[in-house]
Amino acid sequence: KGYVEVTETQLAQQKTPGCVTYCINRLQDIRELGAPAPEGFQLQDREVFLKIHGDMIKVVDASSRKALQSQYIQGIRLWGVSKDDSKMFAFIARDMSTHKHRCHIFQCQISGKKIARVLKSFSEQMILERRRKQDSVEKPRTEE
């Protein structure tokens, strides 16, 4: 579908699920009007897929198999599913090149909730792994 730039103020003012819904609705409104995308919006009609690789999520072009964007999972500020369309998934993260927050929106072939559950699972695994590493560093081994 595309992305919408999100300001810190918008992130702070909107409740977590509300911010994703707001972005999805804004992008759909622009698409329905058929008007050119204003600054801070980008409409895309290319087919992509999301790939989780290590600690990153990648947006990959379906035809060329080239990564269009890579994002550290821990850098994702929030993610969610549209209330109106269960196959609409979005995540908000700071763009590594512009340092602006963008809400990336995808029309999926599977349930957006399933994608959100997988992303949550990976995120939880990463947190647990980080804690294990911290615990092993903080607890020095003593020999008797």
Side-chain angles (χ1 to χ4, degrees), residues 63-99:
S63 60
S64 71
R65 303 286 194 225
K66 289 186 178 182
L68 302 172
Q69 181 193 358
S70 296
Q71 176 67 51
Y72 287 104
I73 293 172
Q74 68 187 22
I76 296 176
R77 184 89 177 247
L78 61 107
W79 59 79
V81 179
S82 170
K83 292 178 184 177
D84 301 323
D85 183 347
S86 65
K87 292 188 175 185
M88 188 86 65
F89 171 79
F91 69 84
I92 298 176
R94 188 178 303 270
D95 182 82
M96 291 189 223
S97 60
T98 65
H99 303 290

Side-chain angles (χ1 to χ4, degrees), residues 4 14 17 24 29 36 43 59 65 71-73 90 105-106 111 120 129 131 137-138 141:
V4 177
Q14 298 282 337
I24 290 170
D29 290 346
L43 303 175
V59 179
R65 303 286 194 225
Q71 176 67 51
Y72 287 104
I73 293 172
I105 303 162
F106 305 92
S111 165
K120 180 181 179 191
E129 184 62 30
R131 284 184 186 154
V137 170
E138 290 173 6
R141 294 182 185 176

Side-chain angles (χ1 to χ4, degrees), residues 30-49:
I30 290 168
R31 191 175 280 280
E32 287 173 9
L33 290 173
E39 187 176 336
F41 289 76
Q42 184 173 358
L43 303 175
Q44 295 179 339
D45 285 323
R46 74 172 68 178
E47 215 172 299
V48 298
F49 61 89

Side-chain angles (χ1 to χ4, degrees), residues 52 54-56 72-76 79 114-134:
I52 296 177
D55 59 350
M56 299 195 81
Y72 287 104
I73 293 172
Q74 68 187 22
I76 296 176
W79 59 79
K114 185 173 183 175
I115 295 169
R117 281 193 302 270
V118 168
L119 195 54
K120 180 181 179 191
S121 175
F122 270 87
S123 181
E124 288 171 347
Q125 288 174 7
M126 289 171 46
I127 290 168
L128 288 173
E129 184 62 30
R130 247 192 329 257
R131 284 184 186 154
R132 279 189 216 118
K133 286 180 182 178
Q134 285 176 344

